[in-house]
Amino acid sequence: QQQVKQSPQSLIVQKGGISIINCAYENTAFDYFPWYQQFPGKGPALLIAIRPDVSEKKEGRFTISFNKSAKQFSLHIMDSQPGDSATYFCAASSSWDSGSARQLTFGSGTQLTVLP
Amino acid sequence: GAGVSQSPSNKVTEKGKDVELRCDPISGHTALYWYRQSLGQGLEFLIYFQGNSAPDKSGLPSDRFSAERTGGSVSTLTIQRTQQEDSAVYLCASSLGLVATDTQYFGPGTRLTVL
């Protein structure tokens, strides 16, 4: 019920291409969906986040698409750059489950490599 | 301003020993979280502190794990009688704690290796 499934595990994209990472969840109480970017040796950093009241959110080259009925959300990185090479994690949390309202449930991560 | 800091950055210990991992959250952040990241895995929630409330310990994997937060600031995660399966990167995060969706800011982590 709490799991967030992420795919693919790894992704290789040419510079300038589009990177797409997908996540699916089961818990219908989830109402906050952030994406985190992690470089080697660093902690994850928030990249972009979405609430389920909108179907898409765009910040620069990064876009989250959200499908509430399918319980799926995805990250699109347009014009991918070598500097985008990192591990990306989707996550979810619920404002309604008072017992664990603020903990994030993370996907297993996608290692993105953008070739120059 | 300073971000979340953790110490040590690396810890190698022998099976059966106790270890203490430290987290200094961002000043003014009332919420503090510990997560564990095993090799090739996502982050696993361990424990959550919010102000002076009782911590949410629902993610602790066994009674060998404990954590405390002194003075609403610094936190220490203690693992007693370490096992090889405890080897992982332990990440601390903090947030303002005003609403559930406040951004969690992560530290660089402590890499624990149990021999």
Side-chain angles (χ1 to χ4, degrees), chain B residues 50-83:
Chain B
Q50 172 58 55
N52 296 320
S53 302
D56 176 355
K57 304 179 182 179
S58 60
L60 294 179
S62 77
D63 58 7
R64 296 186 295 104
F65 288 72
S66 63
E68 63 177 18
R69 188 178 185 191
T70 55
S73 181
V74 172
S75 177
T76 302
L77 177 69
T78 301
I79 308 173
Q80 296 179 311
R81 305 181 301 282
T82 52
Q83 304 295 311

Side-chain angles (χ1 to χ4, degrees), chain A residues 9 31-33 36 38 41-46 51 87 89 93-96 98-109, chain B residues 31 33 35 37 40-45 48 50 56 58-59 91 95 97-109 111:
Chain A
Q9 187 174 24
D31 59 1
Y32 175 65
F33 303 91
Y36 278 79
Q38 184 178 31
K42 305 290 187 181
L46 179 67
R51 298 294 299 268
T87 300
F89 293 95
S93 68
S94 167
S95 304
W96 298 99
S98 60
S100 56
R102 298 162 194 257
Q103 74 177 76
L104 289 168
T105 299
F106 283 85
S108 55
Chain B
Y33 310 76
Y35 292 88
Q37 185 174 24
Q41 301 294 316
L43 284 72
E44 173 191 7
F45 167 76
Y48 158 63
Q50 172 58 55
D56 176 355
S58 60
L91 290 157
S95 73
L98 298 177
V99 295
T101 55
D102 281 334
T103 299
Q104 295 185 26
Y105 295 88
F106 284 83
R111 180 174 298 277

Side-chain angles (χ1 to χ4, degrees), chain B residues 11-21 62 64-65 77-87 90 112-115:
Chain B
K11 177 71 176 179
V12 180
T13 190
E14 294 179 346
K15 177 181 174 181
K17 300 282 189 181
D18 297 352
V19 295
E20 286 188 351
L21 311 179
S62 77
R64 296 186 295 104
F65 288 72
L77 177 69
T78 301
I79 308 173
Q80 296 179 311
R81 305 181 301 282
T82 52
Q83 304 295 311
Q84 289 184 331
E85 59 263 30
D86 299 334
S87 296
Y90 289 82
L112 175 65
T113 303
V114 182
L115 301 176

Side-chain angles (χ1 to χ4, degrees), chain A residues 61-115:
Chain A
R61 296 184 294 110
F62 301 92
T63 299
I64 299 178
S65 296
F66 184 81
N67 185 329
K68 188 174 181 178
S69 61
K71 291 184 286 186
Q72 295 176 347
F73 59 110
S74 60
L75 175 68
H76 296 233
I77 306 175
M78 312 298 289
D79 187 26
S80 299
Q81 298 297 311
D84 297 331
S85 297
T87 300
Y88 292 80
F89 293 95
C90 62
S93 68
S94 167
S95 304
W96 298 99
D97 182 357
S98 60
S100 56
R102 298 162 194 257
Q103 74 177 76
L104 289 168
T105 299
F106 283 85
S108 55
T110 296
Q111 186 166 345
L112 172 65
T113 302
V114 181
L115 301 176

